[in-house]
Amino acid sequence: MVKHLLSMQDLSPNEIEAILDEAAGLKEKIRKGELHELLQDKTLGMIFEKPSLRTRVTFETGMTQLGGHAIYLAPADIQLGERESVPDVARNLSRWVDVVMARLFKHDIIVELARHSSVPVINGLTDLHHPCQTLGDLLTIRERKGKLRGLKLAWVGDGNNVCNSLLLGCTLVSMNISVACPRGYEPPADIVKQARANAKKSGVKVELTTDPKQAVGGADVVYTDIFASMGREAEAERRIEIFLPTYQVNKDLIEHAKSDAIVLHCQPWRLGQEISDDVAYSPRCAAFDQAENRLHTAKSILTFFL
Ligand code: CP
Ligand code: NVA
């Protein structure tokens, strides 16, 4: 059976730790200027239905640094499910490349792609999950806080793909998570149920609230993301009316967190909406560390799955 990374739930706590340890080791190699061509002659096929800066650049650069090669397939190249069926794209790509990374709209489509692929498929973001982001985030939190177990992460804003992957990822690594969303913008019930099952096993708490101050209370990490994700642009104006001013991560809100709390954002951000400028560019915001760590974790994910 080929192993795929479609959701954080595809990884065990030990596997997450191994990926983070490998990423930290690869980061150190870069710092020392040591070659680490672990994937010589391997090829990654990257399917993109949506735009990307971080995911594309980190996977492509990552493959170069690992001694392999990456192919960027733009929406117009593949026309997934239109020019040819999803299973046939999977069957063809499996004959040429060693691993596939895909950024798609519908999560069901990446599940279908993986089902027909004989090489590993990595989720580079769907409407439901963003596991590669969570792995970069966990590395960033571990670096800044020296541990993961027992910390509290507060999510403020839309219950979206990034939130879903954090719900699963945090509870797998024994972190508490509190999610504050406006009514109607909560994460899906089945993901919350899975996170609660993980939390029961790892002995942590999952809290859902509409009050950001409550979520942020005593938090070690405060996380936010854009109000209207890719594909939801038409709802942007309406969402601003609903989310502002309550769901903005700004100086007043982070007063409620621990005094040494860090702020995370996966980027791209809309300054003045979900996060204020002064917080985004303050020393406690680790968004550019997260972005850097996307590179190191992309490489450790690739080496883990290949
Ligand atoms: N955070 C993230 O996934 O960024 P991109 O959309 O630029 O890839
Ligand atoms: N939730 C955002 C994340 C972007 C990296 C989106 O899906 O657009």
Side-chain angles (χ1 to χ4, degrees):
M1 270 280 278
V2 194
K3 195 168 162 66
H4 305 289
L5 177 59
L6 305 185
S7 141
M8 284 305 292
Q9 211 58 36
D10 292 328
L11 297 171
S12 69
N14 284 342
E15 288 174 330
I16 296 173
E17 199 183 328
I19 289 172
L20 300 186
D21 289 347
E22 175 71 4
L26 292 170
K27 185 169 184 174
E28 190 56 19
K29 285 199 194 304
I30 285 277
R31 203 183 60 78
K32 290 187 185 153
E34 286 175 16
L35 270 188
H36 47 281
E37 298 189 333
L38 304 169
L39 297 183
Q40 260 181 18
D41 301 325
K42 301 284 185 198
T43 301
L44 163 70
M46 306 192 295
I47 305 175
F48 280 90
E49 285 185 341
K50 299 182 183 184
S52 170
L53 174 65
R54 280 146 290 273
T55 305
R56 178 186 174 180
V57 175
T58 56
F59 273 89
E60 199 163 325
T61 306
M63 277 308 277
T64 305
Q65 293 180 359
L66 291 166
H69 178 68
I71 302 171
Y72 172 71
L73 298 157
D77 294 327
I78 291 245
Q79 299 170 38
L80 198 63
E82 285 172 35
R83 186 166 179 266
E84 47 198 315
S85 73
V86 174
D88 279 351
V89 169
R91 290 180 189 115
N92 277 274
L93 277 175
S94 298
R95 298 289 179 112
W96 307 314
V97 304
D98 303 285
V99 52
V100 170
M101 188 270 281
R103 166 166 289 197
L104 308 180
F105 285 95
K106 293 198 179 83
H107 189 73
D108 288 353
I109 302 294
I110 203 167
V111 173
E112 191 184 5
L113 192 74
R115 200 181 314 126
H116 294 92
S117 172
S118 57
V119 300
V121 174
I122 295 164
N123 181 353
L125 181 150
T126 59
D127 286 348
L128 210 55
H129 294 283
H130 197 0
C132 296
Q133 182 65 48
T134 293
L135 289 164
D137 299 339
L138 293 178
L139 180 63
T140 309
I141 297 167
R142 203 174 77 167
E143 286 174 348
R144 291 266 182 147
K145 296 284 163 199
K147 63 171 187 180
L148 295 174
R149 180 177 293 274
L151 296 179
K152 176 183 176 183
L153 183 143
W155 175 271
V156 179
D158 184 25
N160 63 17
N161 43 11
V162 175
C163 175
N164 294 341
S165 289
L166 284 168
L167 269 165
L168 300 175
C170 288
T171 51
L172 284 167
V173 301
S174 307
M175 280 177 64
N176 300 285
I177 179 163
S178 184
V179 173
C181 309
R183 227 174 283 288
Y185 294 89
E186 302 90 351
D190 57 336
I191 290 186
V192 175
K193 192 173 163 204
Q194 181 64 62
R196 289 200 200 279
N198 292 347
K200 202 171 167 196
K201 262 197 210 161
S202 61
V204 292
K205 277 195 230 131
V206 175
E207 180 185 50
L208 246 70
T209 172
T210 52
D211 179 5
K213 291 193 185 97
Q214 186 185 330
V216 166
D220 302 279
V221 182
V222 179
Y223 204 127
T224 189
D225 184 15
I226 200 163
F227 296 148
S229 285
M230 290 180 278
R232 302 251 180 209
E233 290 81 0
E235 297 171 27
E237 289 306 314
R238 170 102 185 102
R239 282 173 179 248
I240 289 170
E241 282 168 23
I242 293 168
F243 285 69
L244 283 182
T246 317
Y247 295 88
Q248 184 185 79
V249 172
N250 52 33
K251 274 200 175 136
D252 289 344
L253 183 62
I254 55 177
E255 280 291 299
H256 297 267
K258 283 199 181 145
S259 57
D260 61 352
I262 59 165
V263 174
L264 299 184
H265 192 306
C266 56
Q267 299 187 78
W269 47 34
R270 294 281 176 275
L271 298 173
Q273 293 188 22
E274 77 277 4
I275 190 165
S276 62
D277 293 45
D278 53 348
V279 168
Y281 296 115
S282 69
R284 64 174 15 184
C285 179
F288 296 105
D289 288 357
Q290 287 173 271
E292 180 189 333
N293 285 336
R294 287 293 309 275
L295 172 64
H296 310 303
T297 44
K299 286 158 67 180
S300 66
I301 292 164
L302 288 163
T303 53
F304 183 84
F305 280 86
L306 264 171

